[in-house]
Amino acid sequence: MPPLRVMTYNILEGARDRLDVVAAVVREADPDVLGVTEANGFDDAKRMKQVEAAFGMKGVLGRAASGFHGALFAKPPWQVESSGSEYYPFFHAARWA
């Protein structure tokens, strides 16, 4: 089995007007699995699909009451089979997968 490349990235408030820059960093790093903090706005289905296309990965959102969501992305053949709820008292979402 090939090695699993994992990356985490705090994209600062959902990479609002700079998704192209953030996506270029992700594509250059070429992770199999990507954990994103401050996935703000990713609870909008249209935005999430835009981000998935930019990263070339399928994402799962971890909602946070604060709006500072977390997200987990995986590149085929990897996939998130299940995930759990946010754990309090974290300001950013915490997920298990």
Side-chain angles (χ1 to χ4, degrees):
M1 178 176 277
L4 175 67
R5 293 177 50 89
V6 178
M7 175 181 178
T8 63
Y9 197 175
N10 182 325
I11 62 169
L12 185 61
E13 298 182 353
R16 281 182 261 172
D17 296 324
R18 51 189 173 60
L19 179 58
D20 56 336
V21 174
V22 169
V25 170
V26 171
R27 287 191 307 268
E28 178 69 25
D30 194 29
D32 297 307
V33 176
L34 169 67
V36 170
T37 53
E38 296 198 29
N40 306 23
F42 288 19
D43 49 346
D44 177 299
K46 183 178 176 182
R47 176 66 170 168
M48 184 61 139
K49 288 196 179 302
Q50 179 185 32
V51 173
E52 288 175 327
F55 292 172
M57 306 172 91
K58 179 71 178 155
V60 175
L61 182 67
R63 295 176 188 266
S66 66
F68 284 83
H69 309 303
L72 186 64
F73 294 86
K75 181 170 45 175
W78 303 99
Q79 64 183 12
V80 177
E81 292 185 1
S82 66
S83 65
S85 301
E86 172 181 355
Y87 292 97
Y88 289 97
F90 294 114
F91 181 71
H92 291 67
R95 304 286 288 176
W96 62 264

